[in-house]
């Protein structure tokens, strides 16, 4: 969004709007990015399961192990690094940077 405090970055929300365990999807061009608050730390992954191209945001966040499970077939991904934690997915999900600036959470597609 041109003219934003962080050019090339997408505004997600203010910190108070995304509590621990909560998630929000924003779009960076054609890329849906899922941003999750894991106990005060923010992580962003592509909001697409690599197994069947389904929205990961439909799944539940597991705060304990920092993962999200796709509701379609049960593939599970580590939100911190995108790694696959269980099949049927075998390809990691893309991860994206997150910044908090003046109480606002931002992400971008850096590929």
């Amino acid at each position: 969004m041109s003219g934003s405090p962080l050019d090339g970055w997408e505004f997600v929300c203010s910190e108070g709007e995304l509590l621990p365990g909560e998630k929000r999807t924003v779009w960076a061009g054609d890329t849906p990015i899922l941003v999750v608050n894991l106990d005060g730390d923010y992580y962003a992954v592509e909001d697409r399961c690599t197994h069947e191209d389904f929205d990961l945001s439909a799944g539940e966040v597991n705060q304990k192990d920092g993962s999200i499970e796709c509701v379609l077939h049960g593939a599970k991904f580590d939100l911190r690094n995108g790694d696959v934690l269980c099949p049927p997915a075998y390809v990691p999900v893309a991860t994206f940077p997150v910044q908090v600036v003046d109480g606002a959470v931002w992400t971008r597609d850096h590929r």
Side-chain angles (χ1 to χ4, degrees):
M1 138 174 157
S2 184
S4 71
L6 297 173
D7 281 338
W9 291 74
E10 298 298 324
F11 175 74
V12 179
C13 63
S14 67
E15 284 187 280
E17 293 178 288
L18 197 62
L19 301 175
E22 292 184 341
K23 58 191 182 281
R24 182 167 293 186
T25 300
V26 296
W27 287 82
D30 293 336
T31 305
I33 300 177
L34 177 64
V35 179
V36 180
N37 179 338
L38 288 180
D39 204 21
D41 293 320
Y42 299 93
Y43 297 93
V45 298
E46 189 163 5
D47 191 6
R48 290 188 183 121
C49 179
T50 59
H51 171 246
E52 284 285 333
D53 195 27
F54 193 77
D55 298 345
L56 284 177
S57 56
E60 291 297 316
V61 171
N62 182 323
Q63 284 254 103
K64 191 176 282 188
D65 68 4
S67 69
I68 192 161
E69 184 175 334
C70 180
V71 297
L72 193 59
H73 294 117
K76 198 171 176 183
F77 300 90
D78 189 319
L79 290 163
R80 297 163 295 210
N81 57 26
D83 286 351
V84 176
L85 298 176
C86 76
Y90 294 98
V91 176
V93 69
T95 60
F96 303 101
V98 177
Q99 284 193 62
V100 178
V101 178
D102 296 329
V105 181
W106 300 81
T107 190
R108 70 182 176 102
D109 186 345
H110 63 303
R111 300 177 289 180

